[in-house]
């Protein structure tokens, strides 16, 4: 048995024991299921949601759709603005105080405003998520471009590189790892923004389901939803790791 | 007028070169003070002097990289310095390999910037990598290379440009003694095969003597020329074998005295 296998076996045993203990204590009345739910109830809820009634698919779809749109929109805009700032340092300097101001606002607090402007559909949660993702990706883009090695610039200038050659052959590739770590964080935050906005009010979405379940004291459902969100966040990390590995072989 | 003073057949010519940084400000620094020297084509000349005496500044002036203008006159193959002059290949102290490029792509970087067609760059880069002993590492990224190998790749990039003039700023300064001797021999081999004019900056006296036709000794800041000493050791040289040659040690003693004098003189 190799180490990795033993380790995953250990985790599996722990999780089974944990869930078993939880179920056992709920059955015996030591843990109150009205506050903590119970594993069998959670499984039953998920079964109904995805297999019997199939009502959760739609909410899952809306949440993922909104997070994806917000991530792409927010990061493309942020990378673009970051590059623009790199080319026009004076524009960057002029905009900086306003960006700092906006960035220091707790973005979830904007959700009521966005709900008013964009309604209960997908627009308002995308707006909240973009407001988070954009700033994260922007600041990592700016940091990545500033972090370029000055030796590389001197060498390129001595070789007679044009500004656009320097940008595409040196500055941009050297910024990619930092931009990428911003994108990874940006994706996590777009999910956060979407779910946060849905909790407040929305037609569809996991956050909205969660708020409803909480208001009706359906703890099995609440726990099931939290589990779903964890799995969603986890798959984001796995996918981003995979892309990073392919993209940055040289690191 | 000044141009007539310049000898027509020198590859590099500096006349009364003076460089003052921040001359518009109150805290100006006189980095280089009335330096004149010239190099014949295919000559290998070392500039040696204490740190901060203006050696890098002189190379930067030759490449036209500095924004503030110097006084005096500088010519490289008869032309005034301009950034990106294709006659010059510049090699910095640190290898400055681009970490996202393979050894081959790094060796080809200079040619790529200068617009050589892809097939030609690749052929030349492979050829040079073979000459510096990196033939088997063409597809490796810099993180997989040792310090010495990285500097070999930088040598390949520099020589692949095929510029007649090479400016090298302490290229082996960060290497351990053994690796340094090996790379000095690699450089000697490349230089004799490629026939370049070289200005080689170093603070290592033994290195300067082993490689050069002449060694120019500079004083501490402001940098002035203290001595210009011909090195009449026979070529081809093996840097390793020279370590046991008594004429090498005589020159070392002589130049060491001059260097000491240069440091003391400005204090
Ligand atoms: N761009 C610059 N602006 C101001 N001072 C400079 C600049 N470059 C070099 N100097 C100063 O000029 C002097 C010579 O520097 P340098 O040519 O780098 O010396 P060396 O290469 O011989 O060690 C130093 O005192 C340094 O601080
Ligand atoms: Mg220097």
């Amino acid at each position: 048995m190799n180490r990795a296998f033993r380790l995953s076996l250990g985790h599996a045993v722990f999780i089974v024991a944990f869930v078993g203990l939880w179920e056992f204590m709920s059955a015996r009345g030591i843990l109150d299921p009205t506050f903590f739910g119970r594993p069998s109830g959670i499984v039953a809820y998920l079964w109904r949601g995805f297999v019997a009634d199939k009502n959760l698919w739609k909410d899952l779809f809306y949440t993922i759709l909104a997070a994806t749109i917000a991530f792409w929109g927010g990061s493309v805009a942020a990378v673009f603005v970051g590059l623009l700032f790199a080319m026009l340092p004076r524009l960057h300097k002029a905009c900086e105080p306003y960006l700092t101001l906006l960035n220091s606002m707790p973005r979830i607090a904007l959700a009521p405003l966005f709900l008013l402007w964009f309604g209960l559909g997908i627009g308002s949660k995308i707006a909240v998520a973009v407001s988070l993702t954009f700033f994260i990706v922007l600041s990592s883009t700016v940091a990545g471009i500033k972090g370029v090695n000055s030796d590389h610039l001197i060498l390129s200038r001595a070789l007679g590189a044009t500004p656009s050659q320097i940008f595409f052959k040196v500055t941009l590739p050297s910024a990619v790892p930092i931009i990428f770590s911003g994108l990874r964080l940006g994706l996590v935050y777009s999910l956060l923004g979407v779910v946060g906005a849905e909790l407040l009010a929305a037609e569809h979405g996991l956050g909205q389901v969660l708020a409803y379940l909480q208001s009706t004291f359906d703890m099995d459902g609440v726990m099931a939803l939290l589990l779903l969100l964890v799995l969603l966040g986890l798959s984001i990390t796995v996918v981003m790791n995979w892309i990073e590995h392919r993209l940055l072989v040289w690191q | 007028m000044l141009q007539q003073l310049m000898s027509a057949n020198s590859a590099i010519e500096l006349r009364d070169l003076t460089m003052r940084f921040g001359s518009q400000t109150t805290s100006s620094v006189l980095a280089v003070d009335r330096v004149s020297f010239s190099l014949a084509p295919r000559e290998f000349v070392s500039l040696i002097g204490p740190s901060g005496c203006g050696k890098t500044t002189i190379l930067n002036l030759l490449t036209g990289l500095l924004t503030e203008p110097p006084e005096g006159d500088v010519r490289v193959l008869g032309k005034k310095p301009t950034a990106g002059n294709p006659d010059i290949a510049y090699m910095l102290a640190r290898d400055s390999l681009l970490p996202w490029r393979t050894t081959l792509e790094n060796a080809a970087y200079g040619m790529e910037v200068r617009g050589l067609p892809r097939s030609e760059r690749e052929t030349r880069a492979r050829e040079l990598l073979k000459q510096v002993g990196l033939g088997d590492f063409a597809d490796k990224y810099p993180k997989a290379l040792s310090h010495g190998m990285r500097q070999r790749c930088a040598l390949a990039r520099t020589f692949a440009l095929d510029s007649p003039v090479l400016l090298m700023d302490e290229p082996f300064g960060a290497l351990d003694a053994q690796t340094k001797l090996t790379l000095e021999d690699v450089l000697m081999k490349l230089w004799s095969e490629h026939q370049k004019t070289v200005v080689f900056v170093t603070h290592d006296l033994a290195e300067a003597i082993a490689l050069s036709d002449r060694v120019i000794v500079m004083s501490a800041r402001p940098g002035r020329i203290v001595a210009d000493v011909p090195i009449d050791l026979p070529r081809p040289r093996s840097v390793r074998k020279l370590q046991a040659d008594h004429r090498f040690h005589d020159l070392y003693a002589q130049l060491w005295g001059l260097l000491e004098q240069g440091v003391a003189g400005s204090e």
Side-chain angles (χ1 to χ4, degrees):
Chain A
M1 258 197 314
N2 65 29
R3 267 182 67 91
F5 180 72
R6 276 215 310 259
L7 199 67
S8 14
L9 193 71
H11 283 307
V13 169
F14 172 75
I15 289 167
V16 168
F18 177 79
V19 173
L21 188 69
W22 182 0
E23 182 68 32
F24 173 78
M25 283 166 59
S26 314
R28 280 298 174 90
I30 306 170
L31 263 181
D32 186 352
T34 15
F35 286 102
F36 299 101
R38 60 190 283 183
S40 54
I42 295 170
V43 171
Y45 178 85
L46 288 174
W47 178 265
R48 259 182 281 126
F50 286 113
V51 184
D53 301 346
K54 297 192 174 67
N55 61 318
L56 276 180
W57 284 113
K58 193 175 191 175
D59 295 295
L60 182 65
F61 169 76
Y62 271 101
T63 299
I64 291 178
L65 180 70
T68 309
I69 294 175
F71 171 68
W72 281 108
S75 2
V76 167
V79 170
F80 179 78
V81 172
L83 299 183
L84 198 69
F85 282 172
M87 284 184 278
L88 306 168
R90 287 168 63 185
L91 178 71
H92 184 200
K93 230 183 140 87
C95 295
E96 204 158 21
Y98 302 100
L99 292 173
T100 312
L101 203 73
L102 286 174
N103 197 20
S104 44
M105 164 171 306
R107 244 55 57 73
I108 288 294
L110 290 176
L113 193 64
F114 288 148
L115 279 164
L116 211 66
W117 288 352
F118 303 113
L120 291 175
I122 199 166
S124 52
K125 48 192 166 185
I126 289 177
V128 175
V130 163
S131 74
L132 283 161
T133 303
F134 176 80
F135 287 96
I136 291 165
V137 179
L138 177 63
S139 63
S140 72
T141 306
V142 168
I145 286 171
K146 274 199 184 134
V148 58
N149 182 334
S150 62
D151 279 350
H152 294 161
L153 296 180
I154 295 171
L155 176 81
S156 305
R157 259 187 237 123
L159 286 166
T162 61
S164 93
Q165 277 182 320
I166 290 184
F167 183 76
F168 286 108
K169 292 183 196 293
V170 180
T171 313
L172 196 57
S174 83
V176 165
I178 300 179
I179 294 180
F180 196 86
S181 66
L183 290 176
R184 166 197 295 272
L185 209 60
L187 188 48
V188 171
Y189 272 82
S190 39
L191 183 63
L192 175 82
V194 166
V195 173
E198 287 171 350
L199 277 172
L200 220 62
E203 272 175 321
H204 305 288
L206 295 180
Q208 184 48 39
V209 177
L210 185 58
Y212 171 77
L213 292 168
Q214 185 266 344
S215 70
T216 58
F217 246 73
D218 182 347
M219 273 309 131
D220 288 339
V222 168
M223 289 297 181
L225 262 282
L226 291 180
L227 184 67
L228 267 182
L229 290 173
V230 166
L231 293 179
L232 214 53
L234 209 62
S235 41
I236 288 177
T237 309
V238 170
V239 168
M240 291 305 257
N241 279 345
W242 183 79
I243 297 176
E244 186 171 26
H245 196 73
R246 310 291 314 265
L247 200 66
L248 302 173
V249 264
W250 52 272
Q251 277 211 315
Chain B
M1 185 59 203
L2 200 55
Q3 223 164 337
Q4 286 165 359
L5 286 172
M6 300 243 176
S7 50
N9 55 358
S10 47
I12 295 178
E13 182 96 42
L14 273 70
R15 195 151 304 267
D16 286 326
L17 185 71
T18 298
M19 182 67 204
R20 189 183 286 280
F21 286 108
S23 49
Q24 251 67 285
T25 64
T26 49
S27 59
S28 75
V29 174
L30 183 59
V32 176
D33 189 17
R34 282 165 292 149
V35 164
S36 306
F37 62 84
S38 63
L39 270 74
R42 292 179 295 285
E43 204 176 9
F44 194 121
V45 172
S46 284
L47 273 183
I48 189 160
S51 151
C53 75
K55 305 182 294 294
T56 300
T57 304
I58 290 176
L59 295 192
N60 285 341
L61 286 169
L62 287 166
T63 54
L65 279 180
L66 294 178
T67 44
E68 296 177 80
E71 286 167 45
D73 203 31
V74 189
R75 299 285 159 141
V76 177
L77 298 177
K79 284 177 271 180
K80 284 192 177 290
T82 44
N85 181 352
D87 291 338
I88 296 177
Y90 196 177
M91 184 166 169
L92 300 142
R94 285 160 301 237
D95 55 67
S96 49
L97 299 183
L98 302 169
W100 53 88
R101 285 176 171 244
T102 61
T103 306
L104 182 70
E105 290 164 345
N106 267 298
Y109 179 62
M111 297 182 280
E112 187 180 320
V113 167
R114 290 191 177 167
L116 268 76
R118 176 182 285 274
S119 59
E120 194 181 331
R121 317 198 279 260
E122 197 171 318
T123 317
R124 280 193 61 78
R126 279 195 195 283
E127 172 58 30
L128 259 301
L129 286 179
K130 218 179 286 162
Q131 289 182 31
V132 300
L134 281 183
D136 295 337
F137 293 87
D139 299 324
K140 293 274 184 293
Y141 286 97
K143 68 160 183 198
L145 305 183
S146 68
H147 266 309
M149 289 158 93
R150 294 171 61 111
Q151 211 51 281
R152 280 173 198 254
C153 181
L155 274 174
R157 180 183 61 205
T158 311
F159 276 88
L161 284 168
D162 205 21
S163 300
V165 172
L166 258 53
L167 307 178
M168 311 183 89
D169 193 357
E170 311 197 24
F172 308 139
L175 301 177
D176 64 87
Q178 285 302 318
T179 313
K180 195 174 195 172
L181 289 179
T182 311
L183 277 166
E184 285 162 5
D185 273 334
V186 171
L187 173 60
M188 280 293 88
K189 202 172 118 261
L190 287 170
W191 176 68
S192 57
E193 280 164 18
H194 293 257
Q195 303 277 312
K196 307 290 182 195
T197 308
V198 182
V199 181
F200 189 92
V201 164
T202 178
H203 54 241
D204 179 342
L205 195 44
E207 179 174 65
I209 298 167
L211 301 177
S212 314
D213 296 318
R214 276 158 57 208
V215 175
I216 294 176
V217 181
M218 294 181 64
S219 67
R221 208 183 71 206
R224 295 193 186 96
I225 292 184
V226 177
D228 188 335
V229 180
I231 307 295
D232 48 7
L233 298 169
R235 288 194 192 268
R237 297 177 197 162
S238 154
V239 178
R240 270 174 206 282
K241 286 201 189 112
L242 274 179
Q243 312 295 314
D245 189 318
H246 72 91
R247 281 167 303 174
F248 174 81
H249 290 285
D250 292 346
L251 281 164
Y252 189 95
Q254 180 198 350
L255 279 160
W256 182 257
L258 291 165
L259 206 58
E260 291 274 79
Q261 210 178 300
V263 176
S266 63
E267 269 166 5

